[in-house]
Amino acid sequence: MNPFIWHVPAIRRLSLTGIGCWDALSLEFAPALNIVTGTGGSGKSTILRAMRYAVNPLDNIPHSLVTAHPFVAGRIEIEFLGPEISVDKSARDKVPVNPGKSESLGQVMLAFLRSRLREKHQGMALLVEEEITSCLDDGQYSQAATLLNGAGKQVICLIHSHRFSAGDFSGARVYRCYIDDEDSHQIEKLQ
């Protein structure tokens, strides 16, 4: 699989019970752009990895999905948007190249995001790790926001809270992960 960005069947609803830091979590995703934001350790990566693991249990990510309580089985439930899926295998195997001397990591990641968003896979969503947006300078981040807003397909993107601004994603469904005063992981819908 490609690092940082993955195609999965488009997702309507995700429920986690006893997975990672989440005792119980239920999210509904829009068919277009979805943003999950929060600080490091707030649980946003667990959400994305749970989706990947549920779609492909042989993927090498179970270490991040330990159950919240020892000796209790965790549960991941996904409701997909639709039954029809088509995937172009050759496009799926592209991997970003190492930056050349004249290219920054941000330029390479922006180009990778752009190429993945252009791929036309019917019934598929794009999962985007926060490493994509965290290495972008301000100009590149603005370009990425424009690309994500105009994706024309379901995108579920993690963005660290220090980079996120609701004004950059006015039409997106946005969830914020946080840890409350009692050290419990929480999530709230912002828009």
Side-chain angles (χ1 to χ4, degrees):
M1 291 206 125
N2 291 320
F4 309 121
I5 302 178
W6 297 267
H7 275 102
V8 298
I11 297 169
R12 178 184 322 273
R13 186 173 299 114
L14 170 72
S15 296
L16 303 179
T17 306
I19 297 293
C21 60
W22 299 106
D23 289 329
L25 171 75
S26 183
L27 299 175
E28 290 198 27
F29 294 103
L33 180 59
N34 299 270
I35 303 290
V36 180
T37 187
T39 60
S42 63
K44 60 190 179 302
S45 292
T46 299
I47 293 167
L48 187 127
R49 289 179 183 130
M51 288 185 272
R52 285 181 45 213
Y53 183 73
V55 172
N56 184 6
L58 300 178
D59 201 351
N60 191 20
I61 56 172
H63 65 278
S64 63
L65 298 177
V66 295
T67 58
H69 304 287
F71 312 112
V72 177
R75 185 171 184 85
I76 302 168
E77 296 179 42
I78 293 182
E79 180 183 334
F80 296 106
L81 275 174
E84 294 186 37
I85 295 172
S86 66
V87 177
D88 177 358
K89 177 73 170 103
S90 62
R92 197 173 156 216
D93 289 336
K94 294 178 189 168
V95 177
V97 297
N98 292 330
K101 292 183 192 256
S102 63
E103 286 185 301
S104 69
L105 180 58
Q107 289 169 316
V108 170
M109 289 299 188
L110 183 61
F112 183 47
L113 176 64
R114 184 178 286 116
S115 73
R116 296 308 302 263
L117 287 170
R118 285 185 187 141
E119 296 171 6
K120 302 295 181 198
H121 301 305
Q122 180 181 347
M124 299 295 283
L126 208 59
L127 304 181
V128 181
E129 285 272 12
E130 71 181 324
E131 285 80 359
I132 293 289
T133 57
S134 66
C135 67
L136 305 177
D137 65 27
D138 290 343
Q140 294 163 343
Y141 182 80
S142 178
Q143 291 177 51
T146 300
L147 289 170
L148 291 166
N149 283 317
K153 62 179 163 184
Q154 187 181 53
V155 177
I156 301 170
C157 182
L158 305 184
I159 300 178
H160 195 281
S161 59
H162 80 275
R163 288 302 307 258
F164 176 75
S165 170
D168 293 336
F169 304 100
S170 59
R173 179 165 296 166
V174 178
Y175 291 101
R176 181 179 73 95
C177 298
Y178 65 97
I179 301 171
D180 67 15
D181 295 337
E182 298 168 1
D183 288 333
S184 175
H185 286 77
Q186 303 293 322
I187 193 160
E188 67 178 331
K189 184 177 174 185
L190 297 180
Q191 58 189 51

